[in-house]
């Protein structure tokens, strides 16, 4: 029969220079403690990889490993220190763990898998008996691993998006790959400088091959794109334009609801989301109550909603001239409505018409931006606000970066 140490030696699959010296089973503490010793005669310097003599051994360290049955399993070892001619005395790395981690790589891999199935850090922490901070650190290392493995492949269509961060109107900007549907990088704020910094996360040869950048009508984004991607077209796409149109319909609704409410008419109260839905996405019940709203009374909100819906046709054109002709037709209808919020947004679209018409050429899909947006929204709501930008960035890249984070 195998001895317990040989048994664990085989289970751990460590290099032959590491031996299991002792296995201690604590029934009371529900723990298996495995002591490891380094038996090699020399070791590589962690800085340069040069084979060096062993100087001494660093103080004892512990790493949490995958559980043995229901028993928490801990590896204990003193890592050898090398005496490198060039780098002096350095502690060698453990083959089973990342530098600075209190967990083995296999345990971290398990945490990553759990997090991929359950997007709630606290739930994973509770399940494994870890602190929120410890799980956060595992996620950071996983993201760092994935980011390091990224290659500088060609990405023809990219997008920039702002996301609110914390409640006090702070923002982060994300750089998205619209071809693959993933977030490439995240920076704090949405200034020109921050956006330029974000764009330089792409290698020079990648920047040269970008054909279009889908952005909001936010000046710093355009300035940064013009300075770093002078050959790419700026596109104000469906995703960004819809946001403004929805907001202006809501402004009309709020104003009208206030006026109606003042004379005791509560028709519009609580109807905000009804006006945001597209007709084809309404259930039968939603559709019939919406029809009552729109037909029974001649609401200004109804007119604003119709104008917003009419604009959806714009995204179907495949010829720039026809799209431009349609825009003129639509803007005249907006003028006739005399609804100030709609006219204001129409004026803004008119000022950026060239870039809106660029959509016809590139036709970047709305689904990618919407998909990433709703995923980030979920991350935000499951975390109930982030204390640090770094945690927010980590989660966006962990869940939306399509990274290879395997051990
Ligand atoms: Zn060295």
């Amino acid at each position: 029969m195998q001895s317990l140490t040989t048994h664990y030696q085989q289970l751990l699959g460590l290099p032959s220079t590491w031996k299991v010296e002792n296995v201690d089973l604590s029934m009371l503490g529900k723990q298996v403690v495995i002591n490891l010793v380094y038996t090699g005669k020399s070791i590589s310097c962690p800085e340069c990889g040069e084979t060096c003599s062993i100087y001494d051994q660093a103080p004892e360290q512990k790493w949490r490993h995958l559980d043995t049955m229901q028993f928490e399993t801990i590896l204990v070892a003193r890592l050898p220190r090398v005496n490198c001619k060039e780098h002096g005395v350095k502690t060698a790395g453990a083959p089973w763990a990342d530098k600075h981690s209190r967990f083995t790589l296999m345990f971290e891999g398990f945490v990553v898998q759990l997090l991929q199935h359950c997007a709630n850090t606290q739930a994973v922490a509770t399940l494994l008996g870890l602190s929120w901070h410890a799980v956060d650190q595992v996620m950071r290392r996983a993201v760092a691993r994935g980011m390091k493995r990224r290659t500088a492949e060609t990405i023809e269509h990219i997008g920039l998006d702002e996301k609110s961060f914390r409640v006090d109107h702070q923002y982060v900007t994300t750089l998205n790959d619209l071809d693959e549907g993933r977030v490439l990088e995240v920076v704090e704020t949405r200034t020109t400088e921050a956006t330029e910094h974000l764009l330089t996360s792409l290698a020079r040869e990648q920047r040269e091959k970008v054909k279009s950048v889908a952005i909001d009508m936010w000046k710093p984004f355009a300035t940064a794109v013009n300075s770093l991607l002078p050959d790419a077209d700026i596109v104000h796409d469906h995703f960004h334009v819809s946001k403004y149109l929805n907001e202006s319909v809501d402004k009309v609704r709020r104003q009208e609801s206030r006026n109606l409410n003042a004379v005791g008419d509560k028709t519009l109260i609580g109807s905000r989301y009804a006006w945001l839905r597209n007709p084809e996405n309404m259930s039968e019940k939603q559709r019939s109550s919406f029809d009552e709203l729109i037909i029974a009374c001649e609401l200004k909100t109804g007119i604003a909603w119709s104008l917003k819906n009419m604009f959806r046709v714009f995204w179907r054109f495949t010829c720039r001239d026809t799209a431009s002709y349609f825009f003129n037709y639509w803007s005249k209808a907006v003028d006739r409505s005399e609804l100030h919020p709609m006219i204001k947004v129409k004026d803004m679209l008119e000022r950026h018409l060239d870039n809106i018409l660029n959509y016809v050429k590139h036709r970047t899909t709305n689904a990618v931006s919407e998909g990433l947006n709703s995923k980030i929204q979920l991350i935000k709501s499951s975390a109930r606000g982030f204390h640090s930008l770094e945690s927010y960035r980590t989660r966006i890249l962990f869940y939306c970066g399509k990274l290879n984070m395997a051990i």
Side-chain angles (χ1 to χ4, degrees), residues 69 80 109 163 228 245 286:
M69 308 291 177
K163 292 279 164 284
L228 281 162
L245 288 169
Q286 284 168 342

Side-chain angles (χ1 to χ4, degrees), residues 44-50 52 82-88 90:
S44 322
C45 164
E47 303 285 328
C48 62
E50 199 66 41
C52 304
V82 302
N83 192 0
C84 174
K85 281 198 189 82
E86 204 187 330
H87 300 98
K90 293 275 167 198

Side-chain angles (χ1 to χ4, degrees), residues 174-191:
T174 63
L175 171 64
N176 308 329
D177 169 355
L178 299 181
D179 296 331
E180 291 296 324
R182 58 183 177 152
V183 175
L184 296 169
E185 187 50 283
V186 183
V187 288
E188 200 166 3
T189 77
R190 47 175 187 164
T191 59

Side-chain angles (χ1 to χ4, degrees), residues 98-99 101 103 108 111-112 115 121 132-148 165 386-399 403-405:
D98 254 356
K99 208 176 168 186
S101 175
F103 308 113
E108 293 212 3
V111 177
V112 168
L115 284 164
T121 312
W132 186 94
H133 180 75
V135 177
D136 189 57
Q137 292 296 317
V138 173
M139 283 180 102
R140 285 182 196 208
R141 281 190 288 272
V143 166
R145 216 164 32 240
M147 292 296 272
K148 227 168 140 182
F165 162 60
F386 284 99
H387 301 297
S388 77
L389 164 83
E390 204 45 43
S391 302
Y392 193 28
R393 173 183 175 270
T394 300
R395 274 151 190 82
I396 293 176
L397 290 169
F398 189 94
Y399 291 108
L403 294 167
N404 172 8
M405 299 181 286

Side-chain angles (χ1 to χ4, degrees), residues 21 33 35-36 57-63 75-79:
E21 188 188 44
V33 179
N35 288 88
L36 301 166
Q57 289 187 319
E60 193 175 274
Q61 285 180 62
K62 291 178 179 177
W63 295 264
L75 305 189
V76 180
R78 292 182 65 178
L79 295 172

Side-chain angles (χ1 to χ4, degrees), residues 38-207:
Y38 187 73
T39 56
K41 297 285 171 265
S42 57
I43 194 146
S44 322
C45 164
E47 303 285 328
C48 62
E50 199 66 41
T51 305
C52 304
S53 59
I54 296 170
Y55 178 74
D56 66 354
Q57 289 187 319
E60 193 175 274
Q61 285 180 62
K62 291 178 179 177
W63 295 264
R64 168 118 181 239
H65 192 52
L66 294 172
D67 291 359
T68 308
M69 308 291 177
Q70 70 275 38
F71 287 68
E72 197 176 283
T73 303
I74 309 289
L75 305 189
V76 180
R78 292 182 65 178
L79 295 172
R81 297 206 296 172
V82 302
N83 192 0
C84 174
K85 281 198 189 82
E86 204 187 330
H87 300 98
V89 176
K90 293 275 167 198
T91 306
W96 56 82
D98 254 356
K99 208 176 168 186
H100 307 305
S101 175
R102 293 184 295 114
F103 308 113
T104 66
L105 289 166
M106 281 170 91
F107 184 81
E108 293 212 3
F110 179 59
V111 177
V112 168
Q113 276 185 15
L114 271 181
L115 284 164
Q116 281 167 336
H117 289 94
C118 161
N120 186 323
T121 312
Q122 191 52 55
V124 170
T126 309
L127 192 69
L128 297 172
L130 300 171
S131 66
W132 186 94
H133 180 75
V135 177
D136 189 57
Q137 292 296 317
V138 173
M139 283 180 102
R140 285 182 196 208
R141 281 190 288 272
V143 166
R145 216 164 32 240
M147 292 296 272
K148 227 168 140 182
R149 287 174 183 156
R150 282 231 177 116
T151 50
E153 71 266 39
T154 302
I155 305 166
E156 292 187 342
H157 306 97
I158 60 170
L160 292 170
D161 264 320
E162 58 173 43
K163 292 279 164 284
S164 65
F165 162 60
R166 295 201 182 112
V167 276
D168 46 349
H169 295 287
Q170 291 194 53
Y171 288 92
V172 299
T173 307
T174 63
L175 171 64
N176 308 329
D177 169 355
L178 299 181
D179 296 331
E180 291 296 324
R182 58 183 177 152
V183 175
L184 296 169
E185 187 50 283
V186 183
V187 288
E188 200 166 3
T189 77
R190 47 175 187 164
T191 59
T192 306
E193 205 186 4
T195 315
E196 284 177 348
H197 180 67
L198 186 60
L199 290 172
T200 49
S201 69
L202 292 173
R204 179 179 285 276
E205 67 265 28
Q206 279 179 303
R207 294 204 300 271

Side-chain angles (χ1 to χ4, degrees), residues 312-357:
R312 293 168 72 202
V313 175
F314 180 89
W315 308 110
R316 294 198 206 136
F317 293 113
T318 49
C319 159
R320 200 176 168 102
D321 287 344
T322 331
S324 170
Y325 180 82
F326 171 82
F327 187 88
N328 281 330
Y329 173 78
W330 178 79
S331 58
K332 284 193 185 98
V334 174
D335 283 336
R336 279 195 302 274
S337 76
E338 294 180 358
L339 297 169
H340 186 65
M342 296 306 289
I343 294 172
K344 214 174 145 197
V345 79
K346 183 265 303 175
D347 287 345
M348 185 184 71
L349 298 183
E350 214 158 44
R351 283 197 303 277
H352 294 90
L353 189 58
D354 254 352
N355 293 341
I356 298 174
L357 288 168

